[in-house]
Amino acid sequence: MFATIIMQRNCRNWRLDNGACCCVGLKTMDEQENTSSNPRIGSGVRTISDLIEVRLSRRTFVAGLGASAVLPVAACSPTEETPVEVAKSAVFDFPEITRGLDGMHHVAEGYRADILLRWGDPLFADSPAFDPFAQTAEAQERQFGYNNDYVGYWPLEETEGGRGRGLLCVNHEYTSTPLMFPGLAGRKPTGEECAVELAAHGGTVVEIKQGADGLWETVVASPYNRRITAGSTPMELTGPVAGDPRVQTSEDPSGRRVMGTMNNCAGGITPWGTYLMAEENFNGNFLGSLEGGHPETESYARYGIPGGWYNWGVFVDRFDVSKEPNEPNRFGWVVEVDILDPQSTPKKRTALGRFKHEGAESIIAPDGRVVVYMGDDQRFDYVYKYVSTQVYTLDDREANMDLLEDGTLYVARFDDDGTVVWLPLIFGEGPLTPENGFQSQADVLIDTRLAADAVGATPMDRPEDVEPHPTNGRVYVMLTNNIDRTADQIDAANPRANNDVGHIIEIIEPEGDFAATESRWEILVRCGDPTDPEAGATWNSATSENGWFGSPDNCAIDPSGRLWVSTDGNQVTGAADGLWALATDGEERGAGQAFFRTPVGAELCGPRFTKDGKSLFLAVQHPGDGDDATFEAPMTRWPDFAEGQPPRPSVMVIRRNDGGTIGS
């Protein structure tokens, strides 16, 4: 997930000699996400917006939508003939905040929002003090990383008095180079600055605990604390791709050992207490070019490799595809980390496929198999789920540690009758054969996008978080936006060209069977301004002028079973990104309610609740970023507001002033 649509930096002063951009400006990244690499687009394939409009028009719903447009409850059941029983969740009860855009954060009245961790904060007893004017890779590896995204929480034994204690797991997605380093204008990042960037990617595992006042604090020097980086953390490739010639390099002829993980966006915590780090826009980190006729040419074009966002390849050969053409095949996976053993080697679970992973949320199916839902975060790409071969064993952690080693990866086809067909990506089945360029299951997984193209998956409007509900058998798919959709791709039944605000789809797994190969789908909301007849937005009429939003990105289900949605790109509506409560059932279904908003330039990531529902962790990413923003001139100096100091991405904790349940 990369920032906003309107906050785009001018990159003209940050070009390398080969034309690549080394500033990692939001414009560069957003343009690549906006530009589909799916060759099926334009070939007549039906996209998700086509299917949405077919479904809605069958119910005579679209005609006549205007300023008072609402999403009727009847339009949300799987079919009028076969309604599904939905477990009622609790209603929301908090004073809504107003829309706005400024340099501060804002939370609903009656709540407090405290900074828990900032970029550069210490994690270990020997962590140096944060000094943005004297950054080193060695220091950054001992400090909290940059651009915090996904937040996971694993509870530990409570402290005396029943106060909370647990492990916070945080992804560090990317580095906003011009905001990180002083004096960067007009020059390229140095080798040392590139090393700092590599150290700032990856993730953090840190113990946190509640004090007597109920507020949370980090436990610096906890034996659980760990930094995982792109530059210095050894990892193991596992599953069908491990050892394949396409992942062998001069540094690793075995094809089984990888240095680091990067562009870690959303993720997940498994039921057995491991941390899943999803590798998203890995393509952007490579420079160089393949020689003519190279066998990876088609594959790399489908993934947008090389993207040229960083200067790393100038100093580190493995990030130059002309020197190490197989290195990109070693990224784009889901990484599993044993958070209870900080000396363990993280594992890249290749059975879950290779693409721009947004999230890896897991749940146990009724038959005991583990299901992991994932989105591929690019316009016109796909929704996936993985189903393990073996079953989960309650209270036997060791028996569960390799459940992501072997299983079946599926990709979704959304049919216009409201059916989701989960298409297996298995070598030798259907078109996934040598005649079509697939020589093994390793090929199918390395080229997951090409395999999904071949089986006929439905191109989506940039799928990001995909979150299974633990009790009602439904799955919520955040479709952030798709500004690539053009007028010639629509007709009377498909009016959402230039979809810059996105929508949310609800998948209904039959009888709560998350491992099912056929499901149903419905729309929860189509985002945008309900008072604008041109927007085609669909909200419950209970939604106020503050309760609607655009560009849904991450989401969370709270302990009461309620859905919360954070945004990346809501600035296109003229207001800050933030967190909204969104009703999913009853008369309130489709009603949004504004709870939190970020400072200017930021997006909101990683909403995560503690088990008691009394604490909520939020990640504020790239505050102060925007068009031509720099270290010296950011749009805000949040959260420290210290003159001459840069803004710092931070994780916050939300608590009710009276200590009660959030949102109630």
Side-chain angles (χ1 to χ4, degrees):
M1 72 193 71
F2 271 128
T4 67
I5 294 170
I6 64 169
M7 302 285 181
Q8 296 176 341
R9 182 181 297 111
N10 185 329
C11 293
R12 62 182 178 274
N13 295 323
W14 301 86
R15 294 283 161 184
L16 295 175
D17 293 339
N18 65 0
C21 179
C22 65
C23 71
V24 199
L26 301 185
K27 182 175 182 179
T28 301
M29 295 182 290
D30 204 51
E31 283 176 349
Q32 293 203 34
E33 281 191 330
N34 291 356
T35 303
S36 172
S37 62
N38 190 336
R40 300 172 66 210
I41 302 308
S43 62
V45 64
R46 302 182 76 185
T47 64
I48 192 64
S49 286
D50 297 318
L51 302 180
I52 285 173
E53 293 310 325
V54 169
R55 293 285 286 148
L56 291 178
S57 62
R58 284 186 172 198
R59 296 182 181 158
T60 64
F61 173 45
V62 171
L65 283 178
S68 61
V70 299
L71 185 61
V73 174
C76 301
S77 59
T79 66
E80 288 82 348
E81 297 78 19
T82 56
V84 165
E85 288 293 323
V86 178
K88 285 276 291 180
S89 60
V91 298
F92 297 102
D93 184 13
F94 61 85
E96 190 171 39
I97 65 171
T98 59
R99 294 169 58 80
L101 185 64
D102 58 44
M104 304 289 292
H105 67 265
H106 300 265
V107 69
E109 184 180 355
Y111 292 80
R112 59 181 298 158
D114 297 301
I115 303 294
L116 178 63
L117 274 165
R118 303 163 297 175
W119 166 46
D121 278 350
L123 301 171
F124 309 95
D126 63 351
S127 295
F130 177 64
D131 183 353
F133 295 93
Q135 299 180 56
T136 67
E138 293 76 17
Q140 180 64 87
E141 288 181 351
R142 311 298 288 172
Q143 299 165 335
F144 191 62
Y146 200 84
N147 272 346
N148 33 242
D149 196 292
Y150 171 79
V151 177
Y153 178 75
W154 183 258
L156 298 173
E157 184 178 349
E158 293 180 340
T159 61
E160 184 179 351
R163 294 187 290 274
R165 173 175 168 255
L167 299 181
L168 203 68
C169 304
V170 184
N171 280 351
H172 301 296
E173 185 185 2
Y174 70 103
T175 49
S176 304
T177 312
L179 287 177
M180 283 185 71
F181 301 114
L184 202 61
R187 67 171 177 85
K188 304 170 186 177
T190 65
E192 179 58 33
E193 287 167 338
C194 288
V196 172
E197 290 182 306
L198 285 163
H201 275 244
T204 292
V205 180
V206 59
E207 182 179 343
I208 60 174
K209 67 178 183 179
Q210 282 183 298
D213 56 3
L215 301 182
W216 292 87
E217 60 185 23
T218 58
V219 182
V220 174
S222 164
Y224 292 111
N225 292 1
R226 185 176 189 180
R227 272 303 320 280
I228 298 164
T229 76
S232 64
T233 305
M235 305 203 164
E236 179 185 354
L237 279 169
T238 76
V241 174
D244 189 84
R246 294 180 64 188
V247 293
Q248 295 172 359
T249 68
S250 62
E251 291 183 354
D252 174 36
S254 73
R256 296 178 181 275
R257 301 285 290 181
V258 179
M259 185 58 73
T261 182
M262 57 197 185
N263 293 96
N264 304 95
C265 201
I269 299 292
T270 66
W272 53 96
T274 59
Y275 162 34
L276 302 184
M277 306 173 67
E279 296 181 331
E280 193 194 38
N281 290 291
F282 65 95
N283 63 301
N285 301 351
F286 293 91
L287 300 177
S289 60
L290 296 174
E291 61 185 15
H294 195 282
E296 296 293 347
T297 299
E298 179 186 6
S299 174
Y300 283 13
R302 185 65 177 86
Y303 286 98
I305 302 167
W309 296 349
Y310 294 100
N311 207 21
W312 302 351
V314 173
F315 304 100
V316 184
D317 285 354
R318 67 190 180 104
F319 294 112
D320 183 337
V321 298
S322 66
K323 297 176 180 177
E324 285 287 3
N326 282 352
E327 187 72 16
N329 288 335
R330 294 147 67 83
F331 295 90
W333 306 103
V334 170
V335 181
E336 185 173 17
V337 181
D338 183 353
I339 57 178
L340 299 183
D341 179 6
Q343 304 306 315
S344 62
T345 300
K347 297 180 178 182
K348 297 198 176 190
R349 299 298 195 181
T350 67
L352 276 67
R354 174 173 169 264
F355 45 89
K356 295 184 180 181
H357 285 275
E358 176 79 24
E361 297 288 356
S362 57
I363 198 161
I364 307 300
D367 65 2
R369 288 182 291 170
V370 176
V371 181
V372 183
Y373 289 90
M374 300 166 284
D376 187 349
D377 185 7
Q378 193 160 352
R379 272 70 166 171
F380 299 115
D381 264 292
Y382 307 123
V383 170
Y384 297 85
K385 74 177 176 183
Y386 164 90
V387 181
S388 69
T389 300
Q390 302 301 319
V391 299
Y392 172 75
T393 305
L394 186 66
D395 297 328
D396 189 347
R397 187 171 188 264
E398 189 61 31
N400 300 320
M401 292 300 285
D402 285 323
L403 288 173
L404 305 185
E405 180 80 5
D406 179 49
T408 301
L409 182 65
Y410 297 87
V411 66
R413 188 188 75 212
F414 291 77
D415 291 341
D416 60 6
D417 65 354
T419 301
V420 182
V421 178
W422 294 98
L423 306 166
L425 300 179
I426 301 173
F427 173 67
E429 294 191 6
L432 305 182
T433 62
E435 292 78 13
N436 293 309
F438 300 96
Q439 305 300 323
S440 65
Q441 185 64 17
D443 277 353
V444 170
L445 294 170
I446 291 171
D447 288 323
T448 300
R449 281 185 168 184
L450 292 174
D453 294 344
V455 300
T458 302
M460 310 289 279
D461 281 0
R462 192 176 162 195
E464 298 216 36
D465 232 355
V466 184
E467 186 95 12
H469 194 291
T471 60
N472 70 9
R474 302 193 174 209
V475 182
Y476 298 96
V477 182
M478 305 295 111
L479 298 168
T480 300
N481 50 51
N482 190 347
I483 62 175
D484 280 351
R485 192 173 304 284
T486 60
D488 61 2
Q489 292 175 312
I490 68 170
D491 52 34
N494 181 24
R496 294 266 281 192
N498 189 33
N499 177 16
D500 62 352
V501 287
H503 51 281
I504 299 174
I505 281 180
E506 184 180 58
I507 295 173
I508 303 97
E509 298 286 21
E511 298 181 354
D513 183 5
F514 296 101
T517 56
E518 189 170 299
S519 315
R520 287 177 288 158
W521 69 271
E522 289 293 343
I523 304 165
L524 180 56
V525 293
R526 286 171 56 175
C527 301
D529 185 353
T531 67
D532 179 3
E534 302 296 321
T538 55
W539 298 91
N540 190 294
S541 60
T543 304
S544 77
E545 62 180 349
N546 301 303
W548 63 271
F549 54 83
S551 298
D553 186 335
N554 292 153
C555 64
I557 309 294
D558 71 17
S560 298
R562 302 171 299 184
L563 180 65
W564 299 74
V565 177
S566 66
T567 63
D568 173 19
N570 191 58
Q571 285 96 330
V572 76
T573 73
D577 280 309
L579 185 70
W580 279 260
L582 185 59
T584 58
D585 52 47
E587 294 182 358
E588 301 85 11
R589 178 180 168 92
Q593 193 169 338
F595 179 75
F596 177 91
R597 76 174 197 244
T598 66
V600 64
E603 67 175 281
L604 188 68
C605 310
R608 188 63 53 200
F609 290 86
T610 53
K611 193 172 183 179
D612 61 8
K614 296 181 178 181
S615 297
L616 167 62
F617 302 104
L618 300 177
V620 176
Q621 189 181 104
H622 55 78
D625 213 343
D627 196 26
D628 294 318
T630 64
F631 182 100
E632 291 79 11
M635 298 185 71
T636 179
R637 296 193 185 278
W638 185 94
D640 300 331
F641 298 101
E643 186 61 33
Q645 297 292 309
R648 299 168 71 178
S650 301
V651 172
M652 307 188 73
V653 187
I654 310 297
R655 296 267 297 170
R656 259 177 56 167
N657 292 339
D658 63 6
T661 301
I662 291 172
S664 299

